[in-house]
Amino acid sequence: MQKFDAIRPFYDAEINEGIRSSINHPMMKALMNFTFPEMPDEVWKEQLLKTHSIRDFQCNFIYQSVQRVLAKSSDGLTTSGFEKLEKNTAYLFISNHRDIILDTSLLNASLFTHGLVMTASAIGDNLVKKSFLLTLSRLNRNFLVQRGLPPRELLQSSKLMSEYIGQLLLRENRSVWIAQREGRTKDGNDATHTGVLKMLAMGSDEENLMDYFKKSKSFPFPFRMNMIRPMRSKCHN
């Protein structure tokens, strides 16, 4: 739908073009060399050029990158609660976060491992100012949260995002992840900001907002996944 073009990720029909536009970027080479250290560049490039869907990009490349991070930086990843979720069902995850890229990557890796619907994930447009980062985010099914807008435009943007989240959850059967507040908590109090819930409610077509949250299978609670040992600095090399 054209009304969401300013914030949406790529459609599958656009994936290959997005890959071709970024395949020779130094950051793509760094990512692929980290993920597949023994693979010649021409091999991973050939495989990327055969990719025509977000799911294939996530499963064949990003999932492998996450597994590489875990192997190099921790003794493993522990999760709980996924067994209570229904397969082929979209959920709205509202969680605390420490690293908005890694957090959602870990969540999607866990959803994929458990055979559950992976998420479209919110990301601030301030984090993807560079064209390569914007392309990579759209390849990885991120949608944009527009920051730094005047009050009237912010209201319009919030309504648009709320409608888009409703579109994903209720019409496309696509799970959604969104942080429970802008930025990281400074005092460890991981409470959901009421403004997030108000934004989500803008897209409601229900008289009772609780009916809308139940229909969208919302989880407005800290959703925690723990690596057994924190990442070491060498992972950022």
Side-chain angles (χ1 to χ4, degrees):
M1 297 176 65
Q2 290 185 345
K3 70 182 296 183
F4 302 124
D5 280 356
I7 63 171
R8 67 169 176 81
F10 287 131
Y11 295 131
D12 281 348
E14 301 167 331
I15 286 294
N16 197 254
E17 181 180 350
I19 287 173
R20 290 177 183 275
S21 72
S22 58
I23 196 168
N24 293 315
H25 194 283
M27 291 182 70
M28 181 66 84
K29 175 178 170 60
L31 176 62
M32 292 298 109
N33 288 167
F34 169 79
T35 305
F36 309 109
E38 299 180 1
M39 185 181 293
D41 287 3
E42 58 268 21
V43 176
W44 60 256
K45 285 185 177 182
E46 180 182 2
Q47 294 304 311
L48 270 175
L49 291 173
K50 294 179 180 178
T51 301
H52 293 271
S53 72
I54 287 181
R55 181 175 177 82
D56 283 350
F57 180 73
Q58 288 184 315
C59 297
N60 296 332
F61 298 97
I62 300 302
Y63 179 81
Q64 304 304 324
S65 299
V66 173
Q67 296 308 307
R68 183 75 173 162
V69 168
L70 291 173
K72 289 179 68 68
S73 64
S74 76
D75 292 334
L77 175 68
T78 62
T79 66
S80 62
F82 288 104
E83 68 280 358
K84 298 180 181 180
L85 304 184
E86 299 176 11
K87 296 184 184 298
N88 302 314
T89 301
Y91 291 91
L92 172 59
F93 298 96
I94 308 174
S95 81
N96 61 318
H97 77 94
R98 295 298 178 266
D99 181 310
I100 202 163
I101 301 297
L102 185 57
D103 290 348
T104 54
S105 296
L106 291 172
L107 171 58
N108 276 312
S110 299
L111 290 170
F112 175 69
T113 298
H114 287 82
L116 299 165
V117 177
M118 290 187 286
T119 68
S121 302
I123 188 170
D125 62 357
N126 57 305
L127 301 178
V128 291
K129 293 295 186 184
K130 294 183 178 181
S131 60
F132 172 79
L133 295 178
L134 178 59
T135 297
L136 185 62
S137 71
R138 298 185 74 195
L139 287 169
N140 204 33
R141 198 177 270 119
N142 291 119
F143 61 93
L144 298 182
V145 180
Q146 297 173 312
R147 305 288 194 199
L149 298 175
R152 180 173 294 183
E153 292 180 25
L154 181 61
L155 180 62
Q156 294 172 342
S157 176
S158 296
K159 188 174 188 302
L160 179 69
M161 187 165 62
S162 177
E163 291 177 2
Y164 184 60
I165 290 172
Q167 166 80 17
L168 291 169
L169 289 167
L170 304 177
R171 295 178 177 83
E172 298 184 19
N173 197 42
R174 170 61 54 194
S175 290
V176 172
W177 178 90
I178 188 169
Q180 61 189 11
R181 61 172 58 245
E182 181 179 351
R184 300 170 186 81
T185 178
K186 301 297 190 296
D187 57 6
N189 180 17
D190 287 313
T192 300
H193 195 284
T194 56
V196 173
L197 300 180
K198 290 178 180 178
M199 178 277 294
L200 292 169
M202 290 181 180
S204 171
D205 55 2
E206 300 283 349
E207 291 186 9
N208 187 327
L209 288 181
M210 285 307 300
D211 290 339
Y212 178 69
F213 286 121
K214 289 176 182 178
K215 185 168 66 173
S216 63
K217 298 184 184 296
S218 304
F219 285 84
F221 311 103
F223 184 85
R224 302 184 187 278
M225 298 175 292
N226 301 304
M227 284 192 289
I228 295 174
R229 194 167 65 230
M231 287 204 308
R232 305 188 189 106
S233 59
K234 68 178 183 180
C235 296
H236 300 285
N237 291 342

